[in-house]
Amino acid sequence: MADYDYDLFVIGAGSGGVRAARLTGLGGKKVAIAEEFRVGGTCVVRGCVPKKFMVMASDFAHQFNTAEGYGWTVEASFDWPKFIQAKDVEIARLSGIYAANLGKAGVELIHGRAVLKDAHTVEIIGKNQTITAERILIATGGRPWMPDELPGIEHAITSEEAFHLPELPKRILIAGGGYIAVEFAGIFAGLGVETTLIYRGPNILRGFDDDVRAHLAGEIEKRGIKVILGCQHSEIRKTATGLLNVLENGMELETDVVMFATGRVPHVKGLGLEVAGVELDEKGAIKVDALSRTTVDNIWSIGDVTDRMNLTPVAIREAVAFHETVYRDNPQHFDYEAVATAVFSQPPVGVVGLTESEARHTCARGVDVYVTRFRPMKYAFTGSDERVLMKLVVDADTDRVVGVHIVGPEAPEMIQLAAIAVKAGLTKAQWDATCAVHPTMAEELVTLKVKQSQDVSAG
């Protein structure tokens, strides 16, 4: 057997890479992990975690307005630099915890960019260091994509730069209709920024249930976000007073910041994959089999760089499956069915399972659909016309609830528990047999009786 420096070398210290490295290190193997930026990856450093802090910060303005209906007098102001400093301190703390946990597991952390030289060898760029490993795991995640051919694109930022703006802009235009674009539109609008969201498609959140898409589009406009659909940029021009967004429909809008959230792509550039024989699929992601093995027997890959299901908890589960398969002689793969997800828009979205359209193409004997829209009790004193949407999609043949879709306050918290029922294959009759918790929004999920839409608005 060849003599290698390490049993496992991991490229990328995000959530998936760190979990795989720790488990393998704790199992007694000699492991190293390389990270070119900061330990923690996209989620901890420039994604889920800092974004959630920004969502919470921006939502206070809405809460203050609601509080006035309950008799409170609120005089508030927002300090962007103070918030950014607090956010950065917490992110540094979390990144440090990730690094410390690697050390406790006996994993060597290498700060630097690792590039494959062959199937068993990596080079740490700029450090004159070459390392060999019996197995290599690639977990480099994804990076924001921008249309490089667009005139003036050099004036735009991505979500990664949005976390570190030196000052809060007065006006912003966000290009994109996915969850990142929608979330940042809510963030900036909540912080008092004049916010415009532009998307080339017919509605936001492509891939989500059509009722969710339509409902959220209406609700975010109530929060002051201007939504322009079916259109995109033709040019961005820098002016003396800002950035002029020239749109394909002839409209021109001047803003202080232009942010592109038009998707993310696997981070494969410059990794040396072709030298090692690692193949990419037609979308530019690392090609893997069900067990996360690449086209090279000793090289594996997990997380967003494989473009299977780009969610942090999924990358972690893929890491666990990798460890079980390779180091515990227990071959397994992650089950991608009925994975819950949330969009931290304002109001937020929580979904699990099939959309109505997907179910109609999947369920042989049709589907039953239960929909309700109502005003949350919290807004009874405020005059707000904000509405919650809840939708259950049921296989008409088996009575199984195959999809749950929620738009409204605390939707992400509710969907986590609803996901257990959907994953377990519970029927609508079993949902109905569950006693409601009153008064809550979540009780609507177990009291829906009338098929199709039903408006139970209290106002």
Side-chain angles (χ1 to χ4, degrees), residues 248-262:
E248 289 183 341
N249 64 0
M251 184 183 297
E252 296 184 353
L253 298 91
E254 187 179 76
T255 59
D256 304 305
V257 172
V258 180
M259 173 181 154
F260 269 72
T262 44

Side-chain angles (χ1 to χ4, degrees), residues 15 17 265 315 404:
S15 297
V265 294
V404 181

Side-chain angles (χ1 to χ4, degrees), residues 182 203-220 341-343 345 347-352 354-356 371 373 387-393 403-408 411 415:
V182 171
N203 209 346
I204 59 175
L205 292 186
R206 181 171 61 88
F208 284 72
D209 187 89
D210 286 339
D211 281 336
V212 169
R213 301 173 71 190
H215 188 87
L216 183 64
E219 292 301 310
I220 65 174
T341 189
V343 182
S345 48
V349 175
V351 303
V352 64
L354 302 178
T355 67
E356 180 180 343
V371 180
R373 297 174 177 84
R387 291 291 188 270
V388 170
L389 167 74
M390 291 186 177
K391 179 174 183 176
L392 300 182
V393 181
V404 181
H405 308 271
I406 307 172
V407 182
I415 208 66

Side-chain angles (χ1 to χ4, degrees), residues 34 89 108 129 177 266 432:
V89 167
E108 181 181 350
Q129 184 178 8
D432 293 345

Side-chain angles (χ1 to χ4, degrees), residues 101-168:
N101 286 340
L102 285 169
K104 292 175 184 177
V107 177
E108 181 181 350
L109 173 60
I110 299 172
H111 293 282
R113 177 174 174 78
V115 175
L116 291 166
K117 307 307 291 183
D118 60 43
H120 290 280
T121 308
V122 297
E123 177 186 355
I124 309 302
I125 301 301
K127 293 194 174 183
N128 194 29
Q129 184 178 8
T130 300
I131 295 168
T132 61
E134 180 182 9
R135 294 185 177 92
I136 294 172
L137 176 67
I138 303 170
T140 49
R143 293 293 183 272
W145 176 86
M146 291 203 297
D148 294 336
E149 71 283 358
L150 177 68
I153 191 63
E154 67 274 11
H155 302 305
I157 67 169
T158 71
S159 59
E160 295 188 353
E161 292 79 46
F163 291 119
H164 304 286
L165 289 173
E167 59 183 13
L168 192 64

Side-chain angles (χ1 to χ4, degrees), residues 213-268:
R213 301 173 71 190
H215 188 87
L216 183 64
E219 292 301 310
I220 65 174
E221 287 190 309
K222 294 176 184 177
R223 298 281 185 112
I225 299 169
K226 182 178 182 180
V227 180
I228 302 174
L229 299 172
C231 189
Q232 58 186 342
H233 280 87
S234 61
E235 184 182 359
I236 303 171
R237 296 182 204 152
K238 188 171 181 58
T239 69
T241 54
L243 298 172
L244 186 66
N245 299 272
V246 182
L247 308 183
E248 289 183 341
N249 64 0
M251 184 183 297
E252 296 184 353
L253 298 91
E254 187 179 76
T255 59
D256 304 305
V257 172
V258 180
M259 173 181 154
F260 269 72
T262 44
R264 295 176 67 85
V265 294
H267 183 40
V268 297

